[in-house]
Amino acid sequence: MRHLMNPMDFSVEELNRLFDLAQDIEQHPDVYAHKCEGKKLATCFYEPSTRTRLSFETAMLNLGGSVIGFSDAASSSASKGESVSDTIRVISCFADICAMRHPKEGAPMVAASRSSIPVINAGDGGHQHPTQTLTDLLTIRALKGRLDHFTIGLCGDLKFGRTVHSLVNALARYADIHFIFISPEELRIPSYLREKLQENNLSFEEEIRLEDVLPKLDLLYMTRVQRERFFNEEDYVRLKDFYILNKEKMELAKDDMLVLHPLPRVNEISVEVDDDPRAVYFKQVQYGVYVRMALILTLLGLA
Ligand code: NCD
């Protein structure tokens, strides 16, 4: 049985197959409409979510399956002190596959080790968010036709942003990727990630000013400052509006640069950018459904 904890759990070859499947689902949704009849997805969310949980649920419903779950730790037995290991053993009796989000890093991995159904990490603390990465990669592949030969700027909270950590790991496997990490000093990428890039001789630079690097970028991945992972509100308030991408700054960018964002957006992209054809963050949400459909089929052995 297979779980998904980290985007690296799939080889590049397997990812290609998954993205082919997702794009086939996009083209021929009717062919897939009954593939999961009789199957249940459990969404166990111990942390807030709009997109991830609802896109998993939509994915399963689009496949003809059904959904159970909770969207708040307070409404589950976690509030009575039940461990994640016990909860997943219970959920395994009810559902065929589980998507779990948890504020503690590694919690979905603990669940997977005790589970008799596939477990998908839907975000664990500031660690990983593999299905957002699948969404990001599918969006880039669908809109650019490739996943190699890019200069990508990742901007914002690179310290706590789990989507960034997962995406960097995953993109590092493709040829000729140059990473530009744009963040204030306090929110730089974690040292383990920097060391990993150095050990593998990957090309990267760290910058503070977005304007200085914008003209070089093929892809810009904006992120919000992760308020819930800050130790004090004062630091958050000081850093939250460090970057605001607006129309004026977009003029510095290439005509075919894509702007991605895992959402939710707070202030870091001004709404006036939404109508720019290079802004693809709402398209990303749609790709997130196709890729989760493909993932559910793959993990259930129905692909
Ligand atoms: C991200 C997350 O939860 O890490 N959201 C999402 O799932 N699309 C990004 C974020 O919360 O900033």
Side-chain angles (χ1 to χ4, degrees):
M1 189 182 41
R2 250 185 128 170
H3 306 285
L4 176 67
M5 293 296 120
N6 184 313
M8 307 298 273
D9 293 348
F10 284 114
S11 67
V12 169
E13 194 46 49
E14 286 173 321
L15 284 183
N16 273 337
R17 278 203 294 275
L18 190 81
F19 298 145
D20 288 344
L21 178 58
Q23 289 194 278
D24 197 58
I25 290 170
E26 178 186 8
Q27 300 299 317
H28 311 286
D30 294 350
V31 173
Y32 297 90
H34 304 283
K35 290 265 185 201
C36 280
E37 248 159 34
K39 301 284 182 199
K40 287 191 206 82
L41 163 76
T43 50
C44 299
F45 275 58
Y46 297 83
E47 240 194 7
S49 168
T50 302
R51 257 153 309 278
T52 305
R53 186 172 61 83
L54 296 183
S55 63
F56 266 115
E57 298 192 358
T58 304
M60 192 49 149
L61 296 174
N62 288 351
L63 292 166
S66 41
V67 178
I68 58 168
F70 54 86
S71 57
D72 177 7
S75 68
S76 78
S77 281
S79 63
K80 301 182 189 168
E82 186 171 61
S83 67
V84 161
S85 316
D86 281 3
T87 301
I88 194 66
R89 292 176 79 174
V90 171
I91 297 290
S92 297
C93 301
F94 303 150
D96 301 282
I97 185 163
C98 171
M100 178 180 286
R101 168 169 288 191
H102 203 287
K104 278 208 189 113
E105 309 189 346
M109 202 178 289
V110 172
S113 70
R114 302 310 300 261
S115 177
S116 53
I117 58 172
V119 177
I120 301 166
N121 177 4
D124 61 329
H127 187 217
Q128 297 278 341
H129 192 345
T131 61
Q132 182 63 47
T133 297
L134 299 182
T135 302
D136 302 338
L137 295 180
L138 175 62
T139 306
I140 298 168
R141 198 185 88 150
L143 300 178
K144 287 284 193 188
R146 62 179 204 278
L147 284 167
D148 44 20
H149 302 90
F150 286 121
T151 294
I152 177 169
L154 296 110
C155 178
D157 187 346
L158 310 185
K159 178 178 182 187
F160 296 116
R162 56 192 173 196
T163 61
V164 169
H165 307 158
S166 286
L167 182 58
V168 170
N169 269 316
L171 265 181
R173 294 191 292 187
Y174 295 89
D176 190 25
I177 300 291
H178 178 60
F179 294 100
I180 305 186
F181 298 115
I182 309 145
S183 73
E185 189 63 35
E186 296 90 332
L187 299 178
R188 287 171 66 187
I189 52 163
S191 47
Y192 80 86
L193 206 53
R194 185 176 305 106
E195 282 155 22
K196 191 177 160 187
L197 293 167
Q198 281 161 345
E199 276 162 26
N200 292 292
N201 278 327
L202 291 157
S203 159
F204 74 96
E205 57 192 281
E206 295 186 77
E207 303 289 345
I208 296 180
R209 271 174 56 85
L210 176 59
E211 294 86 328
D212 293 348
V213 296
L214 255 175
K216 295 198 256 184
L217 305 179
D218 303 308
L219 304 166
L220 171 61
Y221 195 86
M222 293 296 294
T223 62
R224 85 183 157 95
V225 176
Q226 306 276 299
R227 178 182 205 160
E228 66 277 34
R229 310 210 193 281
F230 270 67
F231 296 112
N232 67 68
E233 182 72 7
E234 223 173 87
D235 285 349
Y236 170 71
V237 170
R238 186 167 51 80
L239 294 168
K240 72 183 173 65
D241 292 329
F242 203 92
Y243 298 107
I244 300 181
L245 182 68
N246 55 19
K247 259 188 167 165
E248 200 188 325
K249 289 189 192 127
M250 284 299 284
E251 280 171 21
L252 301 170
K254 290 183 187 170
D255 290 344
D256 62 349
M257 183 190 80
L258 298 183
V259 184
L260 296 109
H261 190 309
L263 303 180
R265 168 230 338 242
V266 187
N267 275 336
E268 59 282 353
I269 303 182
S270 153
V271 288
E272 66 188 22
V273 176
D274 296 359
D275 296 329
D276 189 307
R278 295 168 289 182
V280 297
Y281 27 91
F282 291 111
K283 279 192 189 156
Q284 242 171 300
V285 178
Q286 185 62 62
Y287 285 118
V289 176
Y290 301 136
V291 90
R292 288 183 175 93
M293 290 171 75
L295 178 65
I296 290 170
L297 290 173
T298 303
L299 294 180
L300 288 177
L302 299 171

